[in-house]
Amino acid sequence: TGFLQVEETYLARLTHRYREGDQERFVVGGLSLNHLLGRRLVDPADDPLAAGGYSTKAGPADDILVSYANEQAGASASALRRFPGFTVAASTSVGSPAGRRLRYENLLEVMQDVCNQSNVDFQVYRLTSNSLRLVSSDDRNCRCSAMCGTTN
């Protein structure tokens, strides 16, 4: 469209420079920072409460999002799976009750599914040059609703 759709930090995946008539154009395509979570599978080995080879969570949706993000990509993840500079905001225990019993599912898809079921949302924000933070919210009108597969 020629205009920035949403001002945010993106992971650039495509750049294309071209001429159109007497104008030079530069197109950049990218993914939101939420897609970093798609690089992780839910590994029961990173869940301190795992039982029978599964990671099981139940409670308010926000608690589930925060737990999985911390255990699979944040401070509680094993050293090789931890994203450097990635932190997770504390849970506020909002959202409808939900439950998951998982083993090697894609973390981003799990979090999107919890959002859709429980009327919560999440967003990975860039705090500083190399610091990222996941924040969850019960505000489905925020700009990250599109990441959870909904439109308002």
Side-chain angles (χ1 to χ4, degrees), residues 60-73:
D62 184 48
D63 291 355
I64 293 171
L65 295 176
V66 167
S67 292
Y68 276 127
N70 262 325
E71 294 169 2
Q72 303 302 320

Side-chain angles (χ1 to χ4, degrees), residues 77-99:
S78 57
L80 292 174
R81 293 173 38 86
R82 194 174 304 141
F83 284 132
F86 180 76
T87 60
V88 179
S91 175
T92 56
S93 297
V94 297
S96 304

Side-chain angles (χ1 to χ4, degrees), residues 95-114:
S96 304
R100 294 292 181 277
R101 186 170 190 252
L102 306 171
R103 181 181 179 147
Y104 305 111
E105 281 86 354
N106 180 284
L107 180 59
L108 177 61
E109 292 173 4
V110 167
M111 293 182 73
Q112 289 171 332
D113 184 51
V114 170

Side-chain angles (χ1 to χ4, degrees), residues 24-37:
E24 187 172 16
R25 306 274 183 170
F26 188 70
V27 177
V28 178
L31 301 170
S32 82
L33 295 177
N34 285 1
H35 282 83
L36 286 172
L37 301 174

Side-chain angles (χ1 to χ4, degrees), residues 13-30:
R13 303 288 293 178
L14 159 77
T15 58
H16 180 64
R17 184 177 174 183
Y18 65 97
R19 294 194 67 75
E20 186 175 282
D22 62 345
Q23 294 183 339
E24 187 172 16
R25 306 274 183 170
F26 188 70
V27 177
V28 178

Side-chain angles (χ1 to χ4, degrees), residues 20 30 36 44-45 55 68 104-105 125 133 145 150 152:
E20 186 175 282
L36 286 172
S55 175
Y68 276 127
Y104 305 111
E105 281 86 354
Y125 292 98
R133 171 166 272 196
S145 293
T150 65
N152 292 329

Side-chain angles (χ1 to χ4, degrees), residues 121-122 139-152:
D121 216 341
F122 70 94
D139 180 7
R140 294 297 284 175
N141 294 316
C142 73
R143 66 178 175 231
C144 48
S145 293
M147 295 311 303
C148 288
T150 65
T151 55
N152 292 329

